[in-house]
Amino acid sequence: GGNTVARVESGRKVGDVVLEVQNVSLPKDDGTYLLKDVSFKLHRNEILGIYGLRGAGRTELLECLIGAQPTMQGKIMLDGSAIKSRTISGRIKDGFALIPEDRKNQGIFTNMDVKQNMTISSLPSFVKWTAVKPKSEATAVDEMINGLHIKVPGRATMIKSLSGGNQQKVVIGKSLLTQLKVLLMDEPTRGIDIAAKRDVFNICETLAQKGLGIVFVSSEMQEMLAIPDRVLVLSEGKLKGEFMRDELTEEKLVRASAIDLNA
């Protein structure tokens, strides 16, 4: 149909394992699970798609990875070592960054200042900044504020005093200026136009070429068929399929993500 996303063909070779998720489960209060025994690996230079219907556990999985789910069970390994940090800021220091689905409400932490809040929400400006070798953190933050035309008196301004649009532009965290290894993207193209979507896909490709491991969560089947190198399918909190890009079909996605009514 007219909605098809052109398949991105890249000469990228995937690198070593950067992230290993081992038996991650997320218990609910009633004894059931939002996620059950999810295990997978992500490589450098790889775009890993995660597909599933609403309620499959996609966002919860990203929240586990970024440190926002304290009751998570299981193990997360980064570069072969188990992660110890239990907080979002700790995970950002470890090398994770998250572009949340609800950028307006989750993309910023309103009780922090601009400098602390430099997580990503404005994608197209991103590639430019990953090339910045900051003379110092402060200079880099200042350059970013100017470069993104964020209207703010200075980098210590409290973020809640900024307008919504400027809050949205408070982007690219200290993490991204330093040690970003794994970029988590939750429905990054939701609610943006075709041209902006193309920017997002090109940016994914550029970042993967730079050596990042990217986890790309989407409920858009056409994006799953076009963008990732490999796709994991979640259904009811469990991994129900794994497909390499060249074997992936719409039918396989539908079958793997279906809810089992007999369970």
Side-chain angles (χ1 to χ4, degrees):
N3 193 20
T4 316
V5 182
R7 184 167 264 233
V8 184
E9 288 304 344
S10 73
R12 261 184 305 109
K13 294 269 179 284
V14 300
D16 304 335
V17 173
V18 59
L19 172 71
E20 187 171 348
V21 172
Q22 298 176 349
N23 304 104
V24 160
S25 293
L26 189 59
K28 287 202 286 203
D29 296 338
D30 63 5
T32 61
Y33 286 85
L34 286 162
L35 293 170
K36 191 78 173 98
D37 277 330
V38 173
S39 298
F40 64 88
K41 292 177 179 168
L42 169 72
H43 302 82
R44 280 177 222 291
N45 309 90
E46 182 180 33
I47 302 172
L48 176 65
I50 296 187
Y51 179 77
L53 306 174
R54 216 169 206 13
R58 299 165 314 178
T59 296
E60 288 79 4
L61 180 56
L62 293 189
E63 288 172 348
C64 286
L65 294 175
I66 200 72
Q69 290 284 7
T71 60
M72 181 203 103
Q73 303 161 353
K75 201 164 166 189
I76 299 172
M77 316 273 290
L78 197 60
D79 283 330
S81 308
I83 282 180
K84 309 264 191 302
S85 59
R86 311 287 293 175
T87 62
I88 293 174
S89 53
R91 293 289 162 87
I92 289 173
K93 284 196 189 76
D94 291 334
F96 287 91
L98 170 67
I99 301 172
E101 177 187 350
D102 180 356
R103 286 180 290 275
K104 187 102 192 81
N105 294 321
Q106 294 175 313
I108 52 174
F109 300 98
T110 48
N111 55 351
M112 293 183 178
D113 66 26
V114 169
K115 176 163 161 254
Q116 291 165 304
N117 242 298
M118 291 251 166
T119 33
I120 334 170
S121 44
S122 168
L123 281 164
S125 356
F126 181 41
V127 173
K128 242 186 353 229
W129 296 120
T130 50
V132 174
K133 287 281 172 282
K135 301 172 221 25
S136 74
E137 191 181 26
T139 325
V141 172
D142 286 344
E143 281 174 12
M144 236 182 269
I145 287 173
N146 298 333
L148 294 169
H149 311 294
I150 297 171
K151 296 181 176 48
V152 45
R155 62 177 177 271
T157 306
M158 290 309 279
I159 192 153
K160 51 176 171 261
S161 66
L162 301 183
S163 73
N166 282 314
Q167 286 183 357
Q168 186 74 322
K169 285 196 228 165
V170 170
V171 283
I172 311 165
K174 299 181 279 196
S175 57
L176 305 189
L177 295 169
T178 51
Q179 297 302 316
L180 182 61
K181 294 173 181 171
V182 176
L183 178 61
L184 309 169
M185 306 175 90
D186 194 359
E187 300 268 10
T189 60
R190 172 162 293 180
I192 61 179
D193 63 36
I194 298 289
K197 281 187 183 185
R198 203 162 301 125
D199 286 344
V200 172
F201 301 146
N202 291 339
I203 284 160
C204 281
E205 190 52 52
T206 305
L207 295 176
Q209 283 168 5
K210 284 180 190 285
L212 286 189
I214 298 175
V215 178
F216 185 99
V217 163
S218 176
S219 53
E220 296 277 328
M221 195 171 281
Q222 292 304 326
E223 290 181 7
M224 280 295 135
L225 293 168
I227 311 306
D229 304 303
R230 186 163 56 104
V231 172
L232 303 176
V233 180
L234 272 178
S235 178
E236 302 176 281
K238 298 188 185 75
L239 274 186
K240 289 291 173 74
E242 176 179 351
F243 305 99
M244 295 309 290
R245 172 195 198 105
D246 51 11
E247 58 175 2
L248 186 59
T249 63
E250 212 163 300
E251 190 194 357
K252 286 178 180 173
L253 280 179
V254 169
R255 213 179 301 145
S257 57
I259 288 167
D260 183 1
L261 298 174
N262 306 319

